[in-house]
Each structure stands twice: as C-alpha cells, then as structure tokens.
C-alpha cells in the first residue's frame, strides 16, 4: 500500500500513470529483496552451486517477475 501511495505522488509529475509507476517500483523492490536473499544464501552456503552468477540471475529474476510484476498486476486488477 505504501508503494501505491508513493506512485500516486510520483504520478503528479505527469510522466507516467500511477499504475505504471507502481508496477515498476514493486518489481524493482522485489528484485532487490530477492537479490539480497540470493546473495545471503550464496554466502552462507558457498558450495551450493557451481556457477553462482547463474544462481543469482535465476533466483532474482524469477522472484522479481513472479512476485514483483505479476503480483503487482494482480493487485491492480483487484483494486479496480
């Protein structure tokens, strides 16, 4: 809910709509959270994967797309 209020404030600049800003902010926020989680897992268990960059990309990318973008999209659909 706070991200939606922030996007309403930013939409007063008339660059993008509130929904577009909300989707971008939510996707970025979830990406940063999943990236920090992936780094934490990677540094706690260094022998978990053979290629850490692939693990980071898969974990962060799928987290951002599934929980960030599609979760935000479903939130906007329920809101209207």
């Amino acid at each position: 809910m706070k991200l939606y209020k922030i996007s309403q404030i930013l939409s007063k600049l008339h660059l993008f709509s509130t929904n577009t800003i909300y989707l971008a902010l939510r996707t970025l926020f979830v990406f940063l959270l999943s990236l920090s989680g992936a780094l934490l897992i990677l540094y706690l268990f260094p022998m978990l994967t053979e290629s850490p960059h692939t693990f980071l990309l898969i974990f962060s990318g799928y987290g951002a797309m599934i929980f960030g973008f599609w979760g935000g999209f479903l939130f906007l659909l329920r809101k209207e």
Side-chain angles (χ1 to χ4, degrees):
M1 288 305 279
K2 290 183 181 183
L3 280 177
Y4 194 76
K5 289 183 181 183
I6 292 171
S7 64
Q8 285 177 334
I9 293 169
L10 290 175
S11 71
K12 292 179 182 174
L13 298 174
H14 301 294
L15 294 175
F16 297 105
S17 68
T18 304
N19 296 341
T20 306
I21 294 172
Y22 173 75
L23 281 177
L25 284 177
R26 182 177 166 124
T27 305
L28 180 68
F29 183 71
V30 171
F31 173 75
L32 292 176
L33 283 178
S34 61
L35 180 65
S36 63
L39 287 173
L40 182 66
I41 290 171
L42 196 60
Y43 286 122
L44 285 177
F45 306 105
M47 301 300 250
L48 185 64
T49 60
E50 293 182 14
S51 64
H53 296 94
T54 306
F55 175 74
L56 285 174
L57 287 173
I58 289 172
F59 194 83
S60 300
Y62 280 123
M65 286 307 295
I66 293 170
F67 295 111
F69 181 78
W70 292 112
F73 187 69
L74 292 175
F75 170 77
L76 292 174
L77 285 177
R78 279 187 291 152
K79 193 163 189 66
E80 294 185 12

